[in-house]
Amino acid sequence: MTDTETRLRDYLHTQAATVPDNAQGPGLEPPERRRNWPVLAAAAAIVVVVVLAASLLTRGDRPDPARRPAPPVSGAAPQVPYTVYEENALHDGKQKVRIPKGIDGFFFGRAGGGWLGQQMSVPGQFRPGILLPNSTFRTLGPDRSGYQVLSPDRKQVAMYHYLSNTRGQVIVVDIQSGKQVAKLPAAAGQPALLGWNQDGLWMDRGKAGLVVWQPASGQQRPVSIAGFDGSAAIPAAAGTIVVSTKADGKRCLKAGALRDDGFKVLRDYCDEGPEHLYPVLSPDGRTMIHSVRAEAIDINTGQVTKLKLQDRMTDTLPLPVFENGTQLLTLTETVAAGGAVHNQLFRCDVTSGECKLLVKNADGWTIHEP
């Protein structure tokens, strides 16, 4: 990470720490929301700005450098989309797509013949859309929308649409036609859209708790999970999800599934400590990752496999990403002389714990969901 990027990161962290619990406005949570979601949003902004937009923001204090090639990849290249800051480009297999100005560098999955991302029309205001292979960006939904989540079949996208600084609605847009096909009634307070699977669109509604909404029927179902603190991993193709909970001084990952009589916990894994846990779950719903401890937990058997990494896994955004049911891509953080943090990219087998270095100098790399 360059000195400029480090200063920008530290500045954004400082600004995030100054956000009051009762702050309102575009991109901020209503008063009753839990504190970790503004921090998560700020972390996402830090990833976007530091990793990819720094070249747009720092031209005043350094010349715009010539684009350098991405660091070499040792072994098979990542099988999921990834972006490289130095190139200002998205890679996916043999495709390399330039990211146009005004499009941030964090993407949310393959869809619509391209990749779901977001446009920042003015500071603090986003609009979802599809980055196409020809480097054009097709917007979806109205202005002042964001927090987009793909449907399990990747034909629709749910998003939150701000109607005012304190009021908005969740809408669903058909990707092919661009038309709105469903919505929830407008209400005060912004829900956090967590994921969409066979059960429906999962949302954290603050004091109202965890809710699953089926856009096709319009039905909402409350889901009670003791200690739920706002974070979840919800693979589109699996019925199992993992949530983060906090109770009695312990942080836990709870894997479970929605049943007729409520949420059934299939496996929980807890430890002491102040860290907030951001869940990661394999696409088949069988393995969850404890990023702070670099461990893979088999949900059926409870077996814990230590991932053989010398350095700390990134346990905030960008989180590790599964390529398939057993192969995990993760960035690690190496502290160099003077306190500078450098990233390396590894591929780990969650059944054996063996990890292989793919990119030694992965500063400015972000790995995305497929």
Side-chain angles (χ1 to χ4, degrees):
M1 188 175 281
T2 66
D3 290 341
T4 299
E5 292 163 4
T6 300
R7 292 198 305 271
L8 183 57
R9 179 200 62 188
D10 293 343
Y11 169 78
L12 290 171
H13 275 299
T14 301
Q15 293 303 306
T18 66
V19 176
D21 289 334
N22 63 350
Q24 295 181 357
L28 297 177
E29 307 296 334
E32 68 272 19
R33 299 282 301 129
R34 296 176 177 85
R35 178 73 184 203
N36 61 290
W37 278 105
V39 174
L40 182 56
I46 291 165
V47 169
V48 167
V49 176
V50 172
V51 173
L52 290 158
S55 64
L56 301 177
L57 297 176
T58 61
R59 287 175 181 169
D61 59 358
R62 68 173 180 177
D64 189 15
R67 295 296 179 195
R68 289 182 287 174
V73 178
S74 173
Q79 302 302 299
V80 298
Y82 63 93
T83 50
V84 181
Y85 155 68
E86 291 290 353
E87 301 178 324
N88 199 27
L90 178 142
H91 294 253
D92 193 355
K94 295 182 179 180
Q95 297 185 91
K96 176 181 174 181
V97 181
R98 181 184 59 83
I99 301 172
K101 185 177 180 179
I103 307 305
D104 74 40
F106 203 85
F107 294 90
F108 306 89
R110 302 179 183 117
W115 303 267
L116 178 65
Q118 60 185 10
Q119 177 188 67
M120 187 170 69
S121 53
V122 297
Q125 293 189 19
F126 293 88
R127 187 178 183 184
I130 304 296
L131 173 66
L132 297 172
N134 63 1
S135 292
T136 61
F137 191 79
R138 177 184 166 229
T139 57
L140 293 169
D143 284 331
R144 291 170 57 86
S145 298
Y147 301 93
Q148 53 272 10
V149 174
L150 281 171
S151 63
D153 62 8
R154 298 174 184 254
K155 295 181 179 180
Q156 299 177 339
V157 57
M159 62 189 74
Y160 182 78
H161 177 211
Y162 285 97
L163 300 175
S164 70
N165 285 356
T166 58
R167 187 176 178 84
Q169 60 188 358
V170 177
I171 63 174
V172 177
V173 174
D174 177 78
I175 293 175
Q176 182 174 4
S177 68
K179 295 181 178 179
Q180 180 179 307
V181 295
K183 70 176 181 179
L184 280 173
Q190 176 196 329
L193 309 188
L194 303 176
W196 196 344
N197 67 0
Q198 62 190 21
D199 299 313
L201 178 65
W202 293 73
M203 300 178 287
D204 178 12
R205 306 207 66 151
K207 287 184 177 180
L210 193 60
V211 173
V212 178
W213 173 47
Q214 277 287 2
S217 66
Q219 298 297 313
Q220 293 186 68
R221 177 181 177 181
V223 180
S224 177
I225 302 177
F228 175 65
D229 67 356
S231 295
I234 304 171
T240 306
I241 74 168
V242 173
V243 300
S244 172
T245 66
K246 179 183 178 181
D248 300 325
K250 291 185 177 181
R251 295 286 190 184
C252 301
L253 296 176
K254 291 185 182 291
L258 193 60
R259 301 286 189 254
D260 290 340
D261 57 350
F263 186 78
K264 180 180 179 180
V265 176
L266 304 174
R267 178 74 54 191
D268 59 4
Y269 190 69
C270 304
D271 66 2
E272 306 285 345
E275 300 96 342
H276 182 86
L277 300 178
Y278 295 105
V280 176
L281 181 62
S282 61
D284 57 13
R286 296 181 179 180
T287 307
M288 59 183 176
I289 301 298
H290 192 302
S291 300
V292 174
R293 299 178 62 169
E295 293 174 339
I297 301 95
D298 185 292
I299 291 172
N300 290 328
T301 66
Q303 178 179 342
V304 177
T305 301
K306 184 70 175 178
L307 302 180
K308 299 173 184 178
L309 295 165
Q310 291 184 345
D311 298 311
R312 176 187 175 96
M313 290 178 69
T314 55
D315 53 13
T316 57
L317 297 177
L319 293 169
V321 174
F322 274 92
E323 293 179 295
N324 51 49
T326 60
Q327 303 296 309
L328 180 77
L329 294 173
T330 183
L331 292 167
T332 63
E333 298 176 341
T334 301
V335 180
V341 177
H342 296 286
N343 296 126
Q344 298 185 98
L345 177 64
F346 285 84
R347 175 183 283 122
C348 296
D349 187 315
V350 298
T351 62
S352 67
E354 296 295 331
C355 296
K356 182 177 182 179
L357 177 65
L358 295 186
V359 180
K360 184 176 182 179
N361 178 15
D363 293 348
W365 281 58
T366 302
I367 311 299
H368 307 294
E369 295 288 341

